[in-house]
Amino acid sequence: MPALQIGVLAGSALQGGRLRQLIVGAGHSVAAMLQADESSAAALLAVDDQVDAWLISLPQELAAATALTQSLAQLQSPLIVDDDPGNGDLQPQWLRRISGKLQALAGELDAVDAGVAEAIWVLAASTGGPEAVREFFARLPAGLPVAFVYVQHINPGFEQSLVEMLNRHSEYPAQLGSPGSRLSRGTTTVISGDCQLDWLGNGVAQGVPGPWPGPYQPSINQVVANLGSRFGRRCGVMVFSGMGDDGALAARLLAQRGGSVWVQQPQTSAVDAMPQAALATGVVTECESPAELAMLLATRLRQTQMSDIGH
């Protein structure tokens, strides 16, 4: 497993020193050492690109501080949270717990990068979506360097039917998303309404406690925002047929990070509310039928492959 460059945010110099001892003893390095105070919120973001992960150990009153909470939410690197920051006396069980978290993260980072797709596209849909997505996959050739994440508003328990439908009509094998699943090239991850996920920068899914935020289950906005924050211009979203406006807010965020926003033509949609809401953001660059979106994506991905080979 690789040695990690760890950033530390601790509630005191004493706790920071103990965490440094633990990190170095586990074979890793401390790339940043911050003590929680008025300046640490900005400092976290300033050095985030220099670390592989953050080890956070804060007392309750500091963990709830607004400025720190906002900065922690913006970090791109994975977080390892000490869930018992008061236990700083190097008791064996405390050492084993934190060391285990470091070891698990190192294993994830070491295992995945070669298998993560060059491009990651979210397929977003609600009413009328399954037929549109089936039409999209029916025209999409095999072998493209892409992983799909399919977010469909659907009653709980019916996600498996989507997996089965995709495996009948798609060259990109589907599975239900779960903690530990990966954004591997040539696959489709179907998101469940009762399992909220986020993704590490290496494409590994991690479970998030609680229900999906907002009125939609699962939340297209949340999935697109999470993936866009991790993968930027490598990420795209296609908004297919559906009611409501889920996905429109995140489309703006994704475009700001260099990602692509495409929609199904409203006139080809069973219900055009979601495509229209996405179009109203002003960030959509392609608007075609599902079959035409498939052919366009294949062309763009092949052009990118040829450009990479040329360089």
Side-chain angles (χ1 to χ4, degrees):
M1 294 184 185
L4 300 178
Q5 297 291 320
I6 302 295
V8 175
L9 176 65
S12 67
L14 177 61
Q15 185 71 348
R18 288 167 169 165
L19 292 172
R20 179 189 294 276
Q21 178 182 346
L22 187 153
I23 291 166
V24 173
H28 306 295
S29 300
V30 176
M33 176 65 70
L34 301 178
Q35 184 174 334
D37 56 27
E38 294 180 358
S39 64
S40 58
L44 277 168
L45 298 176
V47 298
D48 188 35
D49 61 352
Q50 301 173 25
V51 307
D52 294 313
W54 286 96
L55 179 51
I56 311 296
S57 183
L58 300 176
Q60 187 65 36
E61 62 272 17
L62 287 174
T66 301
L68 277 178
T69 301
Q70 291 175 344
S71 291
L72 289 171
Q74 297 177 57
L75 294 175
Q76 300 301 301
S77 303
L79 304 183
I80 302 170
V81 179
D82 178 5
D83 49 15
D84 189 10
N87 191 0
D89 56 0
L90 297 184
Q91 291 182 6
Q93 60 268 33
W94 181 78
L95 280 169
R96 286 196 297 270
R97 185 173 64 251
I98 302 301
S99 296
K101 291 182 178 183
L102 288 169
Q103 183 178 17
L105 179 62
E108 289 178 352
L109 293 174
D110 190 36
V112 184
D113 282 335
V116 177
E118 290 88 333
I120 297 158
W121 278 83
V122 179
L123 308 179
S126 184
T127 307
E131 178 59 27
V133 171
R134 186 202 63 77
E135 180 184 345
F136 169 81
F137 275 117
R139 297 299 298 272
L140 193 71
L144 298 173
V146 60
F148 293 103
V149 177
Y150 182 14
V151 191
Q152 170 73 49
H153 297 160
I154 194 170
N155 291 332
F158 285 88
E159 296 91 347
Q160 188 60 42
S161 66
L162 295 179
V163 171
E164 293 168 0
M165 180 269 288
L166 292 174
N167 285 331
R168 289 194 303 270
H169 298 287
S170 169
E171 299 289 342
Y172 295 81
Q175 64 177 355
L176 285 177
S178 61
S181 60
R182 297 170 177 174
L183 297 172
S184 300
R185 178 175 178 165
T187 64
T188 303
T189 300
V190 176
I191 302 302
S192 169
D194 60 6
C195 181
Q196 187 183 171
L197 298 176
D198 192 2
W199 285 266
L200 300 174
N202 61 0
V204 174
Q206 56 182 352
V208 179
W212 290 98
Y216 304 106
Q217 306 294 315
S219 170
I220 296 167
N221 275 326
Q222 191 66 42
V223 170
V224 173
N226 289 348
L227 291 170
S229 70
R230 301 298 188 206
F231 300 104
R233 64 180 61 254
R234 294 172 60 187
C235 186
V237 60
M238 295 186 197
V239 180
F240 292 99
S241 174
M243 292 190 297
D245 62 355
D246 197 12
L249 176 62
R252 294 189 180 95
L253 300 175
L254 180 60
Q256 290 172 358
R257 290 182 172 270
S260 300
V261 181
W262 297 3
V263 303
Q264 179 179 358
Q265 282 178 331
Q267 59 267 36
T268 70
S269 304
V271 178
D272 68 0
M274 274 177 46
Q276 292 284 16
L279 285 166
T281 65
V283 300
V284 174
T285 57
E286 302 293 344
C287 180
E288 304 288 351
S289 71
E292 290 167 328
L293 289 174
M295 292 184 287
L296 183 59
L297 180 63
T299 299
R300 296 285 176 83
L301 291 174
R302 285 167 175 164
Q303 288 173 343
T304 300
Q305 279 184 306
M306 294 303 296
S307 176
D308 291 342
I309 293 171
H311 288 85

